[in-house]
Amino acid sequence: TQLLEQSPQFLSIQEGENLTVYCNSSSVFSSLQWYRQEPGEGPVLLVTVVTGGEVKKLKRLTFQFGDARKDSSLHITAAQPGDTGLYLCAGTSGTYKYIFGTGTRLKVLA
Amino acid sequence: NAGVTQTPKFRVLKTGQSMTLLCAQDMNHEYMYWYRQDPGMGLRLIHYSVGEGTTAKGEVPDGYNVSRLKKQNFLLGLESAAPSQTSVYFCASSQTLMESSYEQYFGPGTRLTVT
């Protein structure tokens, strides 16, 4: 059974600080996605990474796929209150089915 | 463009009652999914469909049934609700982003409480 473990589970930081969220597995994935979910809403896709070692940037968010395609990280620079939410990673082994991580709940205080 | 819609938004059931959750998408997507989300456990796949008239079991299918009679609709049924089925249920549909990658679009969720 494929599992995706995210860390930390909870994170509360001050506006302007940097943070990194990790998504780890013992399984190899053909692609990995990051979603953000706000209270009362469904997850919204932020990025998809497909190549080992790939780095993608989305404004202040930097996503990296591990060289072995077993892990990924999300780094936020100068966090803002609008970044508050639940961050989920999701991986697939090449099918249309995704395995979701356990989630990281981020709160950015003004 | 409505995207993915779910009805109802909230529901309270008593143990043993039945209900159906409706999901509709207007993006002409082939793939549709039902997930449940519980605290500390992320999203777990219940059932999914790869096209009209087809369904398949996901990670946690017990106690649920599904049907996809029309391409745009995916129904999730609970025949005899149990307290363990208290959760937030999300429907999603997807299209191919690129080889081996699919972008999922999620509905707003249905919060179900079974007492």
Side-chain angles (χ1 to χ4, degrees):
Chain A
T1 303
Q2 293 178 310
L3 291 174
L4 276 169
E5 297 287 339
Q6 287 185 238
S7 62
Q9 191 174 359
F10 300 97
L11 193 54
S12 181
I13 61 172
Q14 294 292 325
E15 182 177 4
E17 292 184 357
N18 301 332
L19 68 116
T20 302
V21 176
Y22 299 94
C23 175
N24 296 298
S25 176
S26 58
S27 303
V28 175
F29 292 98
S30 60
S31 70
L32 196 138
Q33 298 182 328
W34 285 91
Y35 290 80
R36 180 168 65 208
Q37 183 180 15
E38 299 189 15
E41 299 181 7
V44 175
L45 180 67
L46 296 173
V47 76
T48 300
V49 285
V50 296
T51 305
E54 182 177 2
V55 177
K56 281 192 175 179
K57 292 191 175 183
L58 184 65
K59 297 184 180 177
R60 294 175 294 100
L61 279 61
T62 302
F63 305 86
Q64 184 163 7
F65 200 11
D67 291 340
R69 291 185 287 128
K70 293 183 179 181
D71 55 84
S72 180
S73 64
L74 158 60
H75 181 79
I76 301 179
T77 303
Q80 298 178 0
D83 296 326
T84 293
L86 178 68
Y87 288 82
L88 295 161
C89 63
T92 182
S93 298
T95 72
Y96 34 77
K97 291 193 297 179
Y98 275 84
I99 302 296
F100 278 82
T102 48
T104 294
R105 194 166 295 280
L106 171 66
K107 187 170 186 177
V108 182
L109 305 170
Chain B
N1 192 342
V4 180
T5 57
Q6 292 182 232
T7 53
K9 286 186 168 48
F10 302 94
R11 186 73 186 268
V12 178
L13 288 179
K14 294 185 177 179
T15 297
Q17 287 185 319
S18 63
M19 76 163 295
T20 300
L21 282 67
L22 173 64
C23 175
Q25 53 98 2
D26 61 2
M27 297 172 283
N28 202 36
H29 288 170
E30 287 295 331
Y31 311 125
M32 296 188 74
Y33 314 79
W34 276 107
Y35 294 91
R36 59 177 290 173
Q37 186 173 38
D38 302 294
M41 301 189 73
L43 288 159
R44 292 184 292 169
L45 183 63
I46 304 171
H47 285 280
Y48 64 98
S49 168
V50 302
E52 181 179 317
T54 72
T55 63
K57 294 181 180 180
E59 183 185 353
V60 288
D62 294 343
Y64 306 95
N65 57 75
V66 288
S67 64
R68 183 122 180 248
L69 299 179
K70 294 183 179 181
K71 186 177 184 179
Q72 64 268 33
N73 297 335
F74 196 28
L75 278 62
L76 177 70
L78 284 73
E79 292 183 345
S80 179
S84 61
Q85 295 177 303
T86 293
S87 187
V88 181
Y89 292 85
F90 287 98
C91 175
S93 67
S94 72
Q95 63 180 12
T96 304
L97 261 183
M98 60 190 83
E99 184 178 346
S100 299
S101 181
Y102 300 81
E103 177 174 358
Q104 296 186 72
Y105 295 82
F106 284 83
T110 295
R111 186 173 295 275
L112 175 66
T113 302
V114 183
T115 62

